[in-house]
């Protein structure tokens, strides 16, 4: 019975993740008018698919470290918690990280179940989330200033043309690492519990539907409400966030594309003398990330206690 519940939960979550996080992938090229919305979404879908199919399996080791005991009931609890938080975030038009919320719910579940996760892995994961965001801000700030000085000495039209092409490639690569890390992490959680062929078909279908139908609000939040995107800051933000998440993927560590990309935008905004960054949306996003991560851990713990120990 629980197996049948996993299928729709997988579909809805992958769809929400694909739509909610599309802003971190193609928001720059859409808001920057480099491509239209349909083309930007198509590039992102291709990136999701390539990353998921080629590197999605790398997150299996990280899942096992977070959840030593793999069962249908525990996964359903984690999926339901992630679904509730994602629906709330989507209604608020706040880009949300499945990697953070889902990972923290698994930690809470393991602690309540009596089979705690690898605490060394958990501490490294949380440390990576925090330190990588701070490092991204610093690296982007430095890169923006260096590139700005370099571009001021070159032909402006050639530079703009080259940046447009690079941004399109980077949008694909950002979607690639999200498909590998976030969607791969979600798929790994249900592997072995449901039919593999059905799970794959559901995941691929959800990527298409979520990207097309569920991305409008988040595109507005990242693309225009945080920082008016210019080609240079978009390029640096895309490159930095993609590198951070790919490093996490290679170490089988769930990481947040939206967190890395938003931190990149913040660093880019600080690089301008006029401080173009809009602080209120940034503070709202950070507050939501911290509160939802904490809520995921608590809900996972309490739900598991209610099921197994009461």
């Amino acid at each position: 019975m629980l197996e049948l519940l996993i299928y729709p939960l997988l579909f809805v979550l992958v769809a929400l993740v694909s739509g909610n996080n599309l802003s971190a992938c193609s928001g720059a090229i859409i808001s920057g008018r480099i491509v239209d919305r349909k083309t930007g979404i198509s590039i992102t879908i291709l990136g999701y698919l390539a990353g998921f199919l080629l590197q999605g399996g790398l997150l299996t080791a990280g899942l096992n470290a977070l959840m030593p005991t793999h069962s249908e009931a525990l996964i359903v609890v984690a999926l339901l918690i992630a679904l509730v938080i994602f629906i709330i975030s989507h209604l608020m038009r706040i880009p949300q990280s499945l990697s953070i919320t889902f990972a923290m719910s698994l930690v809470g579940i393991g602690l309540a179940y009596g089979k705690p996760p690898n605490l060394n892995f958990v501490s490294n994961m949380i440390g990576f989330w925090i330190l990588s965001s701070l490092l991204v801000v610093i690296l982007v700030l430095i890169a923006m200033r260096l590139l700005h000085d370099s571009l001021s000495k070159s032909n402006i039209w050639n530079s703009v043309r080259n940046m447009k092409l690079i941004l399109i490639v980077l949008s694909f690569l950002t979607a690639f690492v999200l498909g590998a890390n976030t969607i791969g992490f979600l798929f790994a959680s249900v592997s072995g519990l449901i039919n593999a062929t059905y799970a794959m078909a559901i995941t691929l279908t959800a990527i298409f539907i979520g990207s097309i139908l569920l991305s409008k609000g988040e595109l507005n939040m990242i693309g225009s409400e945080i920082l008016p995107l210019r080609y240079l800051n978009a390029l640096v933000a895309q490159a930095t966030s993609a590198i951070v998440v790919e490093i996490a993927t290679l170490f089988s560590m769930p990481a947040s594309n939206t967190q890395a990309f938003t931190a990149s935008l913040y660093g880019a905004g600080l690089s301008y003398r006029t401080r173009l960054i809009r602080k209120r949306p940034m503070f709202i996003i950070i507050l939501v990330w911290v509160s939802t991560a904490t809520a995921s851990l608590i809900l996972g713990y309490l739900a598991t206690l209610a099921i197994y120990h009461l």
Side-chain angles (χ1 to χ4, degrees):
M1 182 65 181
L2 286 176
E3 178 183 346
L4 297 178
L5 187 57
I6 292 176
Y7 289 108
L9 286 174
L10 175 64
F11 175 83
V12 173
L13 268 175
V14 172
L16 285 172
V17 168
S18 300
N20 190 274
N21 288 276
L22 192 138
S23 57
C25 302
S26 61
I29 58 175
I30 294 174
S31 298
R33 304 294 189 271
I34 297 173
V35 299
D36 58 29
R37 188 171 184 271
K38 290 182 180 180
T39 303
I41 291 175
S42 298
I43 291 171
T44 303
I45 290 174
L46 290 175
Y48 285 160
L49 295 174
F52 169 63
L53 295 173
L54 294 177
Q55 289 191 339
L58 295 179
L59 270 294
T60 301
L63 174 74
N64 293 334
L66 290 170
M67 194 176 203
T69 301
H70 208 52
S71 73
E72 292 177 355
L74 296 179
I75 286 298
V76 166
V77 170
L79 292 175
L80 284 172
I81 291 171
L83 177 59
V84 170
I85 289 175
F86 250 83
I87 289 175
I88 293 172
S89 298
H90 183 72
L91 293 175
M92 293 175 63
R93 299 190 304 119
I94 300 292
Q96 183 57 262
S97 168
L98 174 80
S99 301
I100 291 177
T101 56
F102 195 62
M104 294 306 290
S105 68
L106 293 180
V107 173
I109 289 169
L111 292 173
Y113 189 70
K115 297 285 184 67
N118 184 323
L119 296 182
N120 183 56
F121 181 86
V122 173
S123 62
N124 289 337
M125 177 182 69
I126 295 175
F128 181 85
W129 293 343
I130 297 171
L131 293 178
S132 63
S133 296
L134 296 175
L135 183 61
V136 161
V137 171
I138 295 171
L139 290 177
V140 169
L141 181 59
I142 295 172
M144 283 287 294
R145 291 180 176 175
L146 291 176
L147 287 173
H148 186 271
D149 292 339
S150 176
L151 291 173
S152 64
K153 302 174 183 177
S154 61
N155 184 288
I156 184 63
W157 299 114
N158 287 337
S159 298
V160 169
R161 184 171 59 251
N162 291 335
M163 281 191 286
K164 287 181 178 180
L165 294 175
I166 294 172
L167 273 170
I168 292 172
V169 174
L170 287 174
S171 294
F172 173 84
L173 292 177
T174 305
F176 180 96
V177 297
L178 190 143
N181 193 290
T182 304
I183 299 177
F185 184 45
L186 181 58
F187 186 82
S189 72
V190 304
S191 296
L193 300 177
I194 59 177
N195 183 281
T197 302
Y198 293 160
M200 180 65 71
I202 287 171
T203 301
L204 298 180
T205 303
I207 286 174
F208 279 94
I209 293 177
S211 299
I212 294 170
L213 300 180
L214 302 176
S215 59
K216 184 176 181 180
E218 289 77 12
L219 278 171
N220 291 336
M221 173 66 84
I222 286 288
S224 60
E225 293 182 26
I226 293 177
L227 174 69
L229 287 173
R230 299 176 179 177
Y231 294 151
L232 181 58
N233 60 40
L235 186 151
V236 175
Q238 292 284 91
T240 308
S241 60
I243 291 170
V244 166
V245 179
E246 178 62 16
I247 291 172
T249 301
L250 295 176
F251 285 94
S252 194
M253 186 179 297
S256 170
N257 273 60
T258 49
Q259 185 182 61
F261 184 63
T262 306
S264 299
L265 290 180
Y266 189 70
L270 290 175
S271 69
Y272 292 103
R273 291 188 179 89
T274 54
R275 298 294 189 269
L276 292 174
I277 200 77
R278 292 173 182 150
K279 296 179 181 180
R280 186 173 181 275
M282 170 64 68
F283 290 147
I284 292 174
I285 290 175
I286 292 174
L287 178 62
V288 169
W289 281 341
V290 173
S291 60
T292 53
T294 304
S296 296
L297 189 149
I298 294 172
L299 288 173
Y301 185 87
L302 294 177
T304 306
L305 279 181
I307 293 172
Y308 289 100
H309 297 290
L310 294 183

